[in-house]
Amino acid sequence: MGGELVAIEMQKPYPADYKTTVAQVANENESGFLPLLKTKIENIDQYDTVFVGFPTWGMALPPPIKSFLRQYNFKGKTIVPFNTNAGYGIGSTFDTVKSLCAESKVLEGFSMKGGIEKEGVLLAIKDGLRKQAEIKVIAWLRKIGLNKKDNG
C-alpha cells in the first residue's frame, strides 16, 4: 500500500515473561488503564487513511493500541484495522476500534491466525503460509476498495 510503517511502542515495555504479561494486560483491561506510549507521530494530520494492526489479547484490543487510538484525533480519517490472533478470532477488537474512532470511517477489518505466544510461536505467517496470507490480504484490500493495483 505504500505509506509509512510505525511501530507502537510503550514507554515501559511489558515483562518478557508471558504469564506475567497476560496478568498485567488482564488488570489493565479490567481497570481501563492505558499505558503511556514512547511512539510519537508528529505528522499524523497528513494521512487520510491509517491502517492499524494488532493482535487479539484476551479477546480484546491490546491496551497500547487503545492508547494509540485515544492519543490522536482521527476525526474524518479512514481507519483500516487488521489483526492476527492465535485462532480464537477477533473478540471485541474491531468493535473497540469503531467505538474509539467514532468520528472516523472504519473499514471492514482483516484477521488471520498468526502466532501462538503461549507456545512460543511468535510468527506463524511465514514460509508456505506467507503466500496464502498475501492472497487473502489482496482479496481483502480489493473487497474494501483499497487494492493499489486496482486503483492505479
Side-chain angles (χ1 to χ4, degrees), residues 31-134:
S31 70
F33 176 80
L34 297 176
L36 295 175
L37 300 180
K38 183 166 109 176
T39 302
K40 303 281 187 242
I41 302 174
E42 302 298 332
N43 53 355
I44 197 132
D45 290 340
Q46 74 176 342
Y47 300 104
D48 296 324
T49 302
V50 178
F51 284 73
V52 181
F54 49 86
T56 298
W57 283 359
M59 301 308 290
L61 192 66
I65 303 301
K66 292 178 199 172
S67 291
F68 173 75
L69 294 175
R70 287 201 175 151
Q71 182 171 320
Y72 296 98
N73 180 3
F74 293 105
K75 182 178 181 178
K77 296 188 182 300
T78 299
I79 305 298
V80 188
F82 63 99
N83 164 283
T84 60
N85 61 76
Y88 298 105
I90 62 168
S92 63
T93 61
F94 290 167
D95 288 338
T96 302
V97 170
K98 287 177 187 172
S99 70
L100 292 173
C101 300
E103 296 182 316
S104 306
K105 178 180 180 183
V106 179
L107 298 184
E108 177 184 333
F110 176 81
S111 182
M112 72 178 297
K113 185 176 178 182
I116 305 171
E117 292 87 355
K118 68 181 176 183
E119 296 177 12
V121 179
L122 300 181
L123 180 63
I125 304 171
K126 57 184 179 180
D127 304 326
L129 290 178
R130 184 171 183 243
K131 186 62 180 171
Q132 290 176 21
E134 184 178 341

